[in-house]
Amino acid sequence: MSLTHLRRGTVVATVTAAALAGGGLAGTAAAAPAAEPQPDFTLTLLHANDLESALLPVTLEDGGTYGGADRFVELIRQQQIAALTGQRAEGMAKKRGVVTISAGDNFLPGPQLAASEDSGRPIYDATAFNAARFDVSIPGNHDFDLGPDFFAEWIGDLRPQTTIVSSNLGFEDEPALLARVEDGTIVTSHVVRERGEQIGFIGLTTPDLPRLTSSRGVTVDPDLAEIANAQAAAYEAAGVDKVVLVSHLQDIDNEVALAAQLSGVDVIVGGGGHELLADEGDPVVPDGTDVHGSYPLTPTDADGEVVPVVTTAALYSYVGRLVVTFDAAGELLVVHDEASRVIPVAAQGPDAVAPNYAVNRQVVRPVEQYVADLAEQVVATSEVDLNGIRNDVRSRETNLGNLATDALLAAGRREAAALGVTTPVVALQNGGGIRNAAVIPAGEITALDTYTVLPFSNFVGVAPAMPVETFVAGVEHGLSGDVTGGILQPAGSFAQAAGYRVSYDPAQEAGSRIVDLVLDDGTVLVADGVPTGALETISVATIDFLLRGGDGYPFDGVEFTVLPVTYQEALETYLVEDLGGVVTAADYPVGGEGRITPVA
């Protein structure tokens, strides 16, 4: 796609004022047309996002295989070489460069990340990341799931050539990350030099970071447009005439909206939303992912200039390849449509690639063995199918939701006394924290299943004296999703319940849907939509993520104690010790037992 006709300041011809007036000076020649801008530098941006510790390949029901860190690395290395040595298409410059970018969420708690804990080696995710030779990365929300200290450890395992660019986060209150700032690994801006050309990078992370993860003392500046525009202007003043914004805003539509407020940014590489951008005829992974839009998206900025916006689907499944050409003044002339697309990490088809041997040996094989060992560790058996389907746990009571929330309550009761904390009487778990997205069939439950169901680094927390009105507001928030056709729609904030029963009217406005709320001991907190005042405070067990206001819960500011147990550990312990290794159909019937009930 040629952008010349959309660029600010494009001059087709120069005409004198006298000529416009119909006059002209004798002997004055007509003004010559301005020279057409010429290709000077072709830049290939190879990019990925939301890798999320999906180090192992996935095999589909039809036997097809895709993903895996080993094939991803082999593919991205091939593309790095091709960007500099491959045949030049029409409109490309002789001078070429390539930069490899990650738009955040480089790892995710779960069994594949846990494989690194006792390995005695660098973090496997960092080993794969290094092998892919990423030049630039930014922080995503999941990069803080294990806390700032683990993020700093992961950064410490990266090769020196990788720079973390973070233009809107502050690390002054996090010593481990501050040390990375002081040694130059984390920077607010970064210039990559390719073939004598300077490409300036800006890195922005979602302002919702504290509500999405365990970012602790990391501060967030939410004024993204102001930050980006100020840095772009600083680059221009310093003679850096090509600017790439890398952002992790949770939804590529947020990047598109931000583009309209920007000036001086040439390209945006986004992450966090897992969207697949592709054009008709492009090979894609046959995993059922819908195509969100064309590659690239082409919004215009505050000056009316086109800004290509790209992202890829997640989990080592694609490498994005955006090829653009600039003129000598740093103006973006062309997005090379034929060369630009996402490339699936596949073992079959036109883009098939073999695994990288070193990554297969150093990363994939040991992680496979660790996960295989977890899959052999049977921790319980179930008499009933356990429903963890994504949209179900995010919109209604399910028996797996009940099981996970009961585990929180049991852990809170088990640990509270030792810490001198009031024993909790209720618990809630956001459906977005239940991640297996499937039904666990009746039969054996393994240690691997507990990780798959509850993969994050959330710790169990107890708020021993939460005001009842705050708890009720939290239950309301868990029922505040959109309603279509009288049915509550899926939302990650939906609250699975333990220790209480709630009925709600989806026809009412969000925040006013509770009809009745009754504790298991019979205490009525809400009757016919009206708080009873039966209690002033209540001890609540949940995950620390929610107690810090994550997923929009109104608990931020309430005093709480974090217990030394993750929610995955709580589930495994509950299955083994509290249930004696047996999940009965009587205790956990299909469809739940009426803890959360919509009323007409």
Side-chain angles (χ1 to χ4, degrees), residues 507-542:
Q508 301 302 312
E509 292 294 323
S512 302
R513 289 176 177 165
I514 293 176
V515 177
D516 296 303
L517 178 57
V518 183
L519 304 185
D520 284 355
D521 67 3
T523 303
V524 179
L525 300 184
V526 179
D528 293 327
V530 179
T532 64
L535 297 174
E536 292 184 1
T537 64
I538 188 170
S539 183
V540 179
T542 184

Side-chain angles (χ1 to χ4, degrees), residues 50-303:
D50 306 276
L51 300 174
E52 297 186 0
S53 295
L55 300 168
L56 303 184
V58 175
T59 300
L60 301 170
E61 291 184 2
D62 64 1
T65 300
Y66 73 93
D70 48 2
R71 282 191 172 86
F72 176 89
V73 166
E74 187 66 23
L75 175 59
I76 210 165
R77 284 190 177 184
Q78 290 176 4
Q79 292 300 316
Q80 288 163 346
I81 294 170
L84 300 177
T85 63
Q87 184 175 358
R88 287 188 294 117
E90 182 180 354
M92 290 185 182
K94 292 182 179 180
K95 183 168 54 177
R96 291 183 282 179
V98 59
V99 182
T100 306
I101 303 165
S102 169
D105 279 4
N106 297 302
F107 53 85
L108 180 75
Q112 296 188 46
L113 182 59
S116 296
E117 289 179 6
D118 299 317
S119 69
R121 304 178 184 180
I123 297 167
Y124 289 124
D125 299 81
T127 300
F129 200 83
N130 290 338
R133 300 171 183 167
F134 282 100
D135 299 298
V136 172
S137 182
I138 66 165
N141 55 290
H142 285 308
D143 294 323
F144 294 95
D145 280 349
L146 288 175
D149 293 344
F150 185 85
F151 186 27
E153 180 183 350
W154 178 83
I155 293 172
D157 284 343
L158 298 184
R159 67 190 192 121
Q161 295 90 338
T162 300
T163 300
I164 308 297
V165 184
S166 184
S167 305
N168 73 316
L169 302 185
F171 306 106
E172 292 79 7
D173 296 329
E174 289 296 339
L177 287 173
L178 184 59
R180 301 301 178 199
V181 173
E182 292 171 346
D183 69 16
T185 310
I186 301 177
V187 298
T188 56
S189 63
H190 179 60
V191 176
V192 173
R193 290 168 174 81
E194 282 282 294
R195 300 289 302 278
E197 300 294 323
Q198 298 185 93
I199 306 107
F201 284 86
I202 303 167
L204 298 178
T205 303
T206 174
D208 292 333
L209 185 70
R211 296 185 175 275
L212 296 172
T213 188
S214 301
S215 55
R216 212 162 59 192
V218 175
T219 58
V220 186
D221 188 335
D223 202 339
L224 305 183
E226 181 178 346
I227 293 167
N229 287 333
Q231 185 57 59
Y235 279 139
E236 183 179 15
V240 178
D241 58 6
K242 289 168 277 294
V243 178
V244 177
L245 169 63
V246 187
S247 53
H248 193 94
L249 304 184
Q250 300 298 100
D251 186 320
I252 199 63
D253 291 341
N254 292 331
E255 273 85 1
V256 169
L258 177 62
Q261 305 173 56
L262 301 182
S263 179
V265 171
D266 294 297
V267 174
I268 299 176
V269 179
H274 296 204
E275 296 93 352
L276 174 61
L277 302 182
D279 296 307
E280 187 175 354
D282 287 347
V284 297
V285 171
D287 62 351
T289 300
D290 292 331
V291 175
H292 181 82
S294 296
Y295 184 99
L297 302 172
T298 54
T300 54
D301 68 7
D303 302 315

